[in-house]
C-alpha cells in the first residue's frame, strides 16, 4: 500500500486495516549498539552513516516531513548512544566485581 499521507487518510476513512512498520524497533537499537561496540574507526563510521541513512529513507517512504525525519534519526542516534554507554558501564562494573572477588580470595 502507498504510505503517503493522502493514502493513509483514505484508508482510515474507508475503515481499512493499516499496517505501518515501526522503523525504530528496539531490535535495531540493540543490533546497532552491538555492531558499533565491535567496530572501530572508519568501519564504525561507515556502518553508522549507512544505518542512519537507511532509517531516514524508510521514514521518507512513510511520508514524514524532513523535520520529522531529522528528529526521529536524532532520537535513534541518542538511544543507540545510551545503550552503548550502558553496555560499557555493565562491562566495567563486571570487571570491578571480578577484581574484588579475586582480591577477597587472595586475602
Amino acid at each position: 500500500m502507498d504510505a503517503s499521507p493522502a493514502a493513509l487518510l483514505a484508508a482510515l476513512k474507508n475503515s481499512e486495516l493499516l499496517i505501518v512498520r515501526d522503523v525504530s524497533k528496539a531490535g535495531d537499537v540493540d543490533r546497532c549498539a552491538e555492531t558499533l561496540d565491535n567496530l572501530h574507526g572508519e568501519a564504525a563510521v561507515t556502518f553508522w552513516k549507512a544505518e542512519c541513512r537507511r532509517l531516514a529513507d524508510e521514514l521518507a517512504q512513510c511520508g514524514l516531513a524532513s523535520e520529522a525525519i531529522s528528529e526521529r534519526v536524532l532520537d535513534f542516534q541518542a538511544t543507540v548512544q545510551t545503550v552503548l554507554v550502558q553496555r560499557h558501564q555493565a562491562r566495567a562494573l563486571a570487571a570491578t566485581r571480578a577484581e574484588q572477588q579475586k582480591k577477597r580470595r587472595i586475602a
Side-chain angles (χ1 to χ4, degrees):
M1 169 182 214
D2 179 11
S4 70
L8 294 174
L9 182 59
L12 286 172
K13 287 181 180 178
N14 296 324
S15 298
E16 294 176 9
L17 178 63
L18 295 177
I19 299 174
V20 179
R21 198 160 67 101
D22 180 11
V23 292
S24 60
K25 293 182 231 157
D28 285 339
V29 169
D30 292 338
R31 179 182 53 79
C32 286
E34 183 176 349
T35 301
L36 288 169
D37 216 8
N38 295 312
L39 291 176
H40 303 286
E42 190 59 37
V45 172
T46 300
F47 169 79
W48 189 230
K49 284 182 179 180
E51 286 298 313
C52 291
R53 178 77 267 153
R54 181 189 60 76
L55 174 59
D57 291 344
E58 287 180 0
L59 292 168
Q61 288 177 356
C62 292
L64 265 66
S66 61
E67 291 172 5
I69 292 170
S70 294
E71 196 173 295
R72 294 278 297 270
V73 170
L74 289 173
D75 287 345
F76 177 73
Q77 290 173 337
T79 303
V80 171
Q81 183 64 35
T82 298
V83 171
L84 279 168
V85 168
Q86 290 169 344
R87 291 169 64 96
H88 288 259
Q89 288 174 336
R91 279 197 301 272
L93 183 59
T96 299
R97 287 181 177 161
E99 187 62 32
Q100 288 173 346
Q101 287 178 349
K102 183 178 174 184
K103 286 179 182 178
R104 284 186 201 125
R105 279 185 247 137
I106 294 173

